[in-house]
Amino acid sequence: MKAFEAVQLYFDHAADELQLPENMRTLLVTPKREVQVQIAIERDSGDVATFIGYRVQHDDSRGPMKGGLRYHPDVDLDEVRALASLMTWKTALVNLPYGGAKGGIAVSPRDLSIKELEKITRAFVDQIHDVIGPDRDIPAPDMGTDHVVMAWIRNQYEKYHGFSPAVVTGKPVELYGAEGREEATGRGVGILANKLLKRLGRKPPETRVAIQGFGNVGSHAAKFMAESELKVVAISDISGAYYKANGLNIPHALRYILANKHSLAGYSEAERISNLELLELDVDLLVPAALGGVITAENAASIKAPIIIEAANQPTQPAADAILDERGTIIVPDILANAGGVTVSYFEWVQNLQYYKWNLNRVRQELDYTLSNAFENVWQVAQERKCTLRTAAYTIAIERVFRATLLNGIS
Ligand code: NAD
């Protein structure tokens, strides 16, 4: 199933729950604007290379649109469209005054020099600067892009529009970036884990956790969970998975990847298992924090964890979701689970617009407040409607966007 179809399916479940009429569904699902541009640059070799860039602006009924910019060879319109709508539901769910967008360029950043990447980025901004902006659409880093790319975007945008640090988030901290943005998504996963455990009456030290992916999200989630006394028994990255039944020493693993080019390869403080085995471990909480689509109809029945927190985007395929739901597995859906990133992006935008800088403590406190509210809201709606946390989350988000659309008026 394609990414767009999966989001559509979850949208439909929630729209059924809300008894939304067909014309309103079409209105809410259809992107406001889709931009596809050609980007031509001269490579270091002197050859000309052409790339395709996309920006899909899904909905702006609740505020300027917000969403990442992805550099990956598999980027296509279908994927960008799905991720743009996911951003609309995510920002609405967390109640940020934003709509949703997403962008990408079909390119493999590893195959290009830094100079070439900068040229591509600036050429992309030349093509889309009129449709983005602090009050229109605010890009952020995603797969294959980082704070450096965001600094280029801001710099290129300002050549047309003057000083506008709020045009992108995820900037370097020295250049109007927010303290705590890097840890935000992983920290948010940890905050939500603690909230859920409390609701379920489970004690953190008795909660064994397996985390797939030890990059930005997975490593910060592991750090925060270990600090909150959860027992992280397995971690993994592309090099494999590492398991220790009585709990891993997370600070040690974090020091190891820092000294080892951000890789767990060769980590000898734990038993080496496969990434597939990690998903099927007998643990209390499973956190997929690497790729999409890793929990499938094939492996769903073997997953023993009674709780899953979807740190990655779309880690559970819809067919697997149905199997797990049948078994009573509690799933914190991606649109809530990884919303910490966009929440601190929002804080960065607010600081930029006010020319005022918050300290890390304030960022952390506001993140905790925003995500805790969103979690309690989802939990309550799920109890009231007797539905999954995913359907509850989509229901809240769709209802907010629907109401805003009606209040804005349809001419
Ligand atoms: P990252 O590139 O920093 O880390 C990805 C991790 O996954 C790495 O440890 C990598 O080795 C591992 N990995 C890659 N292929 C793997 C495989 N086949 N099996 C096991 N592990 C594998 O990325 P990230 O920023 O941590 O993002 C992780 C996920 O979270 C993505 O799905 C991303 O879209 C989502 N997400 C990230 C953010 C954010 O703020 N970074 C926000 C929302 C959603």
Side-chain angles (χ1 to χ4, degrees):
M1 184 179 281
K2 288 190 158 186
F4 191 65
E5 290 166 345
V7 180
Q8 181 68 37
L9 193 85
Y10 297 140
F11 173 89
D12 282 339
H13 282 165
D16 289 347
E17 191 71 33
L18 291 166
Q19 299 179 337
L20 273 191
E22 202 52 48
N23 55 356
M24 284 300 150
R25 293 181 191 217
T26 307
L27 179 70
L28 294 182
V29 159
T30 311
K32 177 188 164 78
R33 181 187 283 131
E34 297 186 349
V35 180
Q36 176 174 329
V37 297
Q38 184 196 53
I39 300 160
I41 61 151
E42 187 181 311
R43 295 200 61 172
D44 297 346
S45 61
D47 289 344
V48 171
T50 306
F51 305 90
I52 303 294
Y54 307 92
R55 188 76 189 167
V56 173
Q57 299 178 326
H58 176 253
D59 190 275
D60 65 351
S61 58
R62 302 182 67 259
M65 294 167 282
K66 186 92 192 80
L69 184 65
R70 180 172 288 196
Y71 288 0
H72 191 275
D74 294 343
V75 164
D76 62 18
L77 192 54
D78 176 73
E79 183 188 67
V80 177
R81 204 182 267 149
L83 294 170
S85 67
L86 214 52
M87 286 306 297
T88 299
W89 313 131
K90 192 182 292 186
T91 54
L93 173 64
V94 191
N95 218 355
L96 306 178
Y98 281 147
K102 199 81 180 187
I105 302 179
V107 61
S108 171
R110 279 190 211 158
D111 300 338
L112 297 172
S113 69
I114 289 283
K115 201 78 223 145
E116 290 168 336
L117 269 182
E118 182 176 346
K119 276 188 184 175
I120 289 174
T121 304
R122 290 184 185 277
F124 187 51
V125 176
D126 287 340
Q127 305 250 27
I128 65 163
H129 72 89
D130 270 341
V131 295
I132 62 170
D135 299 325
R136 288 189 169 187
D137 175 3
I138 306 127
D142 195 75
M143 216 182 277
T145 59
D146 59 10
H147 59 289
V148 177
V149 176
M150 297 306 117
W152 294 331
I153 294 178
R154 174 193 161 203
N155 183 267
Q156 193 65 15
Y157 180 86
E158 289 186 345
K159 289 179 182 166
Y160 295 96
H161 302 275
F163 182 70
S164 331
V167 66
V168 279
T169 58
K171 297 180 291 293
V173 175
E174 314 80 309
L175 279 178
Y176 295 86
E179 300 285 346
R181 171 63 187 85
E182 200 191 308
E183 67 175 22
T185 308
R187 192 177 180 88
V189 171
I191 290 169
L192 293 163
N194 281 312
K195 284 267 146 201
L196 180 62
L197 293 180
K198 205 163 181 188
R199 274 285 178 190
L200 297 174
R202 284 176 177 260
K203 294 193 173 68
E206 290 164 19
T207 305
R208 293 159 303 150
V209 187
I211 303 176
Q212 185 186 56
F214 208 59
N216 176 290
V217 179
S219 67
H220 281 110
K223 180 170 182 278
F224 189 75
M225 285 185 187
E227 285 167 3
S228 321
E229 296 185 346
L230 277 79
K231 196 191 274 186
V232 181
V233 296
I235 53 177
S236 81
D237 67 7
I238 195 145
S239 73
Y242 305 84
Y243 172 66
K244 196 167 186 181
N246 55 3
L248 289 156
N249 181 340
I250 295 300
H252 182 268
L254 291 167
R255 284 196 298 276
Y256 184 85
I257 58 164
L258 265 188
N260 197 35
K261 295 185 183 150
H262 298 283
S263 170
L264 283 166
Y267 191 64
S268 56
E269 302 292 311
E271 182 191 339
R272 171 93 199 268
I273 58 173
S274 72
N275 261 293
L276 194 64
E277 285 170 315
L278 176 142
L279 292 176
E280 298 176 3
L281 279 175
D282 181 14
V283 290
D284 304 293
L285 169 57
L286 175 64
V287 182
L291 309 169
V294 292
I295 302 178
T296 64
E298 285 71 44
N299 66 12
S302 313
I303 288 178
K304 299 177 194 70
I307 309 170
I308 297 174
I309 301 189
E310 293 183 335
N313 280 322
Q314 299 187 306
T316 313
Q317 294 183 2
D321 192 57
I323 296 169
L324 291 166
D325 182 30
E326 189 79 10
R327 291 219 336 240
T329 307
I330 296 174
I331 301 181
V332 178
D334 50 6
I335 58 168
L336 175 60
N338 64 34
V342 70
T343 302
V344 174
S345 268
Y346 165 62
F347 299 158
E348 180 176 334
W349 181 75
V350 167
Q351 292 170 66
N352 294 161
L353 293 177
Q354 297 183 340
Y355 307 109
Y356 185 74
K357 199 161 171 59
W358 300 359
N359 62 30
L360 181 58
N361 232 1
R362 175 156 180 203
V363 171
R364 286 177 170 174
Q365 274 173 10
E366 299 261 0
L367 176 66
D368 191 295
Y369 174 80
T370 306
L371 289 185
S372 299
N373 274 349
F375 173 81
E376 289 304 333
N377 202 352
V378 170
W379 182 265
Q380 235 141 43
V381 169
Q383 305 297 308
E384 280 160 24
R385 291 188 178 268
K386 299 194 185 348
C387 65
T388 62
L389 296 179
R390 192 188 309 281
T391 300
Y394 272 85
T395 306
I396 294 165
I398 292 168
E399 197 165 26
R400 284 191 180 142
V401 177
F402 176 56
R403 277 190 57 73
T405 305
L406 292 186
L407 285 168
N408 283 329
I410 300 165
S411 53

